[in-house]
PDB file of all heavy atoms in Angstrom:
ATOM      1  N   THR A 967       7.447  -5.590  -8.235  1.00 77.00           N
ATOM      2  CA  THR A 967       6.259  -4.935  -8.783  1.00 77.00           C
ATOM      3  C   THR A 967       6.327  -3.424  -8.640  1.00 77.00           C
ATOM      4  O   THR A 967       6.018  -2.687  -9.564  1.00 77.00           O
ATOM      5  CB  THR A 967       4.983  -5.452  -8.088  1.00 77.00           C
ATOM      6  OG1 THR A 967       4.881  -6.834  -8.364  1.00 77.00           O
ATOM      7  CG2 THR A 967       3.744  -4.741  -8.577  1.00 77.00           C
ATOM      8  N   TRP A 968       6.720  -2.977  -7.471  1.00 77.00           N
ATOM      9  CA  TRP A 968       6.700  -1.544  -7.179  1.00 77.00           C
ATOM     10  C   TRP A 968       7.591  -0.768  -8.135  1.00 77.00           C
ATOM     11  O   TRP A 968       7.256   0.314  -8.578  1.00 77.00           O
ATOM     12  CB  TRP A 968       7.146  -1.316  -5.738  1.00 77.00           C
ATOM     13  CG  TRP A 968       6.952   0.074  -5.279  1.00 77.00           C
ATOM     14  CD1 TRP A 968       7.928   1.003  -5.101  1.00 77.00           C
ATOM     15  CD2 TRP A 968       5.733   0.725  -4.929  1.00 77.00           C
ATOM     16  NE1 TRP A 968       7.394   2.180  -4.663  1.00 77.00           N
ATOM     17  CE2 TRP A 968       6.044   2.031  -4.545  1.00 77.00           C
ATOM     18  CE3 TRP A 968       4.415   0.316  -4.905  1.00 77.00           C
ATOM     19  CZ2 TRP A 968       5.082   2.936  -4.134  1.00 77.00           C
ATOM     20  CZ3 TRP A 968       3.452   1.215  -4.500  1.00 77.00           C
ATOM     21  CH2 TRP A 968       3.790   2.504  -4.124  1.00 77.00           C
ATOM     22  N   PRO A 972       3.731  -1.513 -14.852  1.00 89.00           N
ATOM     23  CA  PRO A 972       2.973  -0.436 -15.488  1.00 89.00           C
ATOM     24  C   PRO A 972       1.636  -0.190 -14.781  1.00 89.00           C
ATOM     25  O   PRO A 972       0.935   0.762 -15.084  1.00 89.00           O
ATOM     26  CB  PRO A 972       2.747  -0.947 -16.913  1.00 89.00           C
ATOM     27  CG  PRO A 972       2.742  -2.436 -16.764  1.00 89.00           C
ATOM     28  CD  PRO A 972       3.717  -2.734 -15.648  1.00 89.00           C
ATOM     29  N   ALA A 982      -5.810  -8.050  -4.272  1.00 93.00           N
ATOM     30  CA  ALA A 982      -5.991  -8.509  -2.890  1.00 93.00           C
ATOM     31  C   ALA A 982      -7.295  -9.297  -2.783  1.00 93.00           C
ATOM     32  O   ALA A 982      -8.247  -9.044  -3.531  1.00 93.00           O
ATOM     33  CB  ALA A 982      -6.028  -7.327  -1.928  1.00 93.00           C
ATOM     34  N   TYR A1000      -0.491  11.985  -5.451  1.00 91.00           N
ATOM     35  CA  TYR A1000      -1.118  12.665  -6.578  1.00 91.00           C
ATOM     36  C   TYR A1000      -1.685  14.026  -6.200  1.00 91.00           C
ATOM     37  O   TYR A1000      -1.796  14.903  -7.046  1.00 91.00           O
ATOM     38  CB  TYR A1000      -2.231  11.800  -7.176  1.00 91.00           C
ATOM     39  CG  TYR A1000      -1.761  10.420  -7.571  1.00 91.00           C
ATOM     40  CD1 TYR A1000      -2.421   9.294  -7.126  1.00 91.00           C
ATOM     41  CD2 TYR A1000      -0.638  10.242  -8.369  1.00 91.00           C
ATOM     42  CE1 TYR A1000      -1.989   8.017  -7.477  1.00 91.00           C
ATOM     43  CE2 TYR A1000      -0.192   8.981  -8.718  1.00 91.00           C
ATOM     44  CZ  TYR A1000      -0.877   7.871  -8.275  1.00 91.00           C
ATOM     45  OH  TYR A1000      -0.445   6.617  -8.617  1.00 91.00           O
ATOM     46  N   VAL A1007      -1.128  11.651  11.389  1.00 96.00           N
ATOM     47  CA  VAL A1007      -0.811  10.493  12.220  1.00 96.00           C
ATOM     48  C   VAL A1007      -1.957   9.483  12.243  1.00 96.00           C
ATOM     49  O   VAL A1007      -1.725   8.274  12.150  1.00 96.00           O
ATOM     50  CB  VAL A1007      -0.449  10.943  13.658  1.00 96.00           C
ATOM     51  CG1 VAL A1007      -0.280   9.754  14.575  1.00 96.00           C
ATOM     52  CG2 VAL A1007       0.806  11.788  13.636  1.00 96.00           C
ATOM     53  N   ASP A1011      -1.595   5.713  10.897  1.00 97.00           N
ATOM     54  CA  ASP A1011      -1.819   4.578  11.801  1.00 97.00           C
ATOM     55  C   ASP A1011      -2.849   3.609  11.222  1.00 97.00           C
ATOM     56  O   ASP A1011      -2.679   2.393  11.301  1.00 97.00           O
ATOM     57  CB  ASP A1011      -2.259   5.054  13.189  1.00 97.00           C
ATOM     58  CG  ASP A1011      -1.127   5.672  13.983  1.00 97.00           C
ATOM     59  OD1 ASP A1011       0.052   5.498  13.601  1.00 97.00           O
ATOM     60  OD2 ASP A1011      -1.426   6.339  14.994  1.00 97.00           O
ATOM     61  N   GLN A1012      -3.912   4.134  10.636  1.00 97.00           N
ATOM     62  CA  GLN A1012      -4.925   3.275  10.009  1.00 97.00           C
ATOM     63  C   GLN A1012      -4.316   2.523   8.825  1.00 97.00           C
ATOM     64  O   GLN A1012      -4.558   1.329   8.645  1.00 97.00           O
ATOM     65  CB  GLN A1012      -6.124   4.098   9.551  1.00 97.00           C
ATOM     66  CG  GLN A1012      -6.965   4.611  10.684  1.00 97.00           C
ATOM     67  CD  GLN A1012      -8.073   5.543  10.203  1.00 97.00           C
ATOM     68  OE1 GLN A1012      -7.973   6.161   9.142  1.00 97.00           O
ATOM     69  NE2 GLN A1012      -9.117   5.653  10.995  1.00 97.00           N
ATOM     70  N   ARG A1015      -2.101  -0.319  10.026  1.00 97.00           N
ATOM     71  CA  ARG A1015      -2.892  -1.472  10.490  1.00 97.00           C
ATOM     72  C   ARG A1015      -3.407  -2.291   9.304  1.00 97.00           C
ATOM     73  O   ARG A1015      -3.411  -3.524   9.338  1.00 97.00           O
ATOM     74  CB  ARG A1015      -4.045  -1.019  11.375  1.00 97.00           C
ATOM     75  CG  ARG A1015      -3.617  -0.699  12.799  1.00 97.00           C
ATOM     76  CD  ARG A1015      -4.805  -0.570  13.730  1.00 97.00           C
ATOM     77  NE  ARG A1015      -5.715   0.516  13.379  1.00 97.00           N
ATOM     78  CZ  ARG A1015      -5.531   1.789  13.704  1.00 97.00           C
ATOM     79  NH1 ARG A1015      -4.479   2.157  14.401  1.00 97.00           N
ATOM     80  NH2 ARG A1015      -6.417   2.699  13.354  1.00 97.00           N
ATOM     81  N   GLU A1018      -0.479  -4.307   7.772  1.00 95.00           N
ATOM     82  CA  GLU A1018       0.156  -5.302   8.648  1.00 95.00           C
ATOM     83  C   GLU A1018      -0.002  -6.747   8.176  1.00 95.00           C
ATOM     84  O   GLU A1018       0.980  -7.493   8.147  1.00 95.00           O
ATOM     85  CB  GLU A1018      -0.356  -5.148  10.082  1.00 95.00           C
ATOM     86  CG  GLU A1018       0.311  -6.082  11.065  1.00 95.00           C
ATOM     87  CD  GLU A1018       1.812  -5.850  11.202  1.00 95.00           C
ATOM     88  OE1 GLU A1018       2.271  -4.708  11.074  1.00 95.00           O
ATOM     89  OE2 GLU A1018       2.526  -6.844  11.437  1.00 95.00           O
TER      90      GLU A1018
END
Side-chain angles (χ1 to χ4, degrees):
T967 297
W968 189 254
Y1000 305 128
V1007 173
D1011 287 345
Q1012 289 174 335
R1015 281 193 298 278
E1018 183 62 32

